[in-house]
Amino acid sequence: MIKNNALVLFLSGIILISCGGNRIYEENVDFKNRIWQADSLGEFVFRVEDSTATYNLYFNIRNTTNYPFHNMYINYNLADSSGNVIAEELVNKNLFAEKTGEPLGDGIGGIFSHQFALLTGYEFPHRGPFQLQIQQYMRLDSLPGVVSLGVKVSKVEE
């Protein structure tokens, strides 16, 4: 009986956390054989209904301890439905501590999850669909140890 109550409480907590009302989009895609090819774009299309609100855009990355570098360079661009690029940048994020080599992020076994901000307090110029493309920008064409890539868009709570 105690085990059942604990399980119900745990699952209820998970449901409440995952039902965050400010998230408007989140999607993650897995890489075949845990390898991110340099020519493989992560393409994510989402819709913004309220252009008067501000938003935070994040990218999610899951990597293994076999990832060969301490950091990851990614290049992203955000485009509207006409293909106009409205934001783009090359960013560098650490997946492992530079000095100790210890994995950063939340981990289970040999897989670690990270969520990094791309744009915070961002105001979209209009309503409609937008596309966020993300590409790895590392020295290897075949980047091993990358399990998945994702995007999260959430409305900033006032």
Side-chain angles (χ1 to χ4, degrees):
M1 181 69 164
I2 292 175
K3 286 183 183 180
N4 287 341
N5 288 341
L7 181 61
V8 168
L9 184 61
F10 175 74
L11 291 176
S12 297
I14 295 290
I15 290 169
L16 287 174
I17 290 170
S18 66
C19 291
N22 60 347
R23 179 179 51 207
I24 66 162
Y25 175 83
E26 186 165 15
E27 183 179 357
N28 295 285
V29 293
D30 292 335
F31 290 111
K32 185 177 181 182
N33 299 322
R34 297 180 175 180
I35 296 174
W36 189 359
Q37 301 294 335
D39 62 354
S40 177
L41 286 178
E43 297 180 304
F44 304 91
V45 177
F46 57 93
R47 185 166 187 79
V48 171
E49 296 298 336
D50 183 1
S51 63
T52 64
T54 56
Y55 297 86
N56 294 328
L57 284 78
Y58 303 93
F59 83 93
N60 305 323
I61 196 82
R62 290 178 61 220
N63 64 284
T64 68
T65 53
N66 294 332
Y67 182 76
F69 303 102
H70 76 275
N71 66 331
M72 180 180 287
Y73 282 96
I74 62 114
N75 190 35
Y76 76 87
N77 70 59
L78 176 64
D80 64 14
S81 60
S82 300
N84 299 317
V85 175
I86 55 177
E88 62 183 327
E89 187 177 6
L90 175 67
V91 296
N92 177 25
K93 298 297 181 181
N94 285 337
L95 305 180
F96 295 87
E98 289 184 57
K99 292 185 180 187
T100 65
E102 291 295 315
L104 302 174
D106 297 326
I108 264 192
I111 298 177
F112 292 83
S113 299
H114 312 268
Q115 187 170 82
F116 298 110
L118 291 177
L119 296 167
T120 56
Y122 186 77
E123 296 180 12
F124 286 92
H126 53 79
R127 295 176 46 204
F130 292 86
Q131 180 181 44
L132 184 64
Q133 293 182 329
I134 300 176
Q135 184 175 22
Q136 64 102 336
Y137 210 73
M138 297 298 287
R139 291 174 273 185
L140 300 176
D141 287 340
S142 299
L143 190 58
V146 183
V147 177
S148 65
L149 169 71
V151 166
K152 177 182 176 183
V153 180
S154 61
K155 190 183 280 192
V156 175
E157 293 182 12
E158 295 179 22

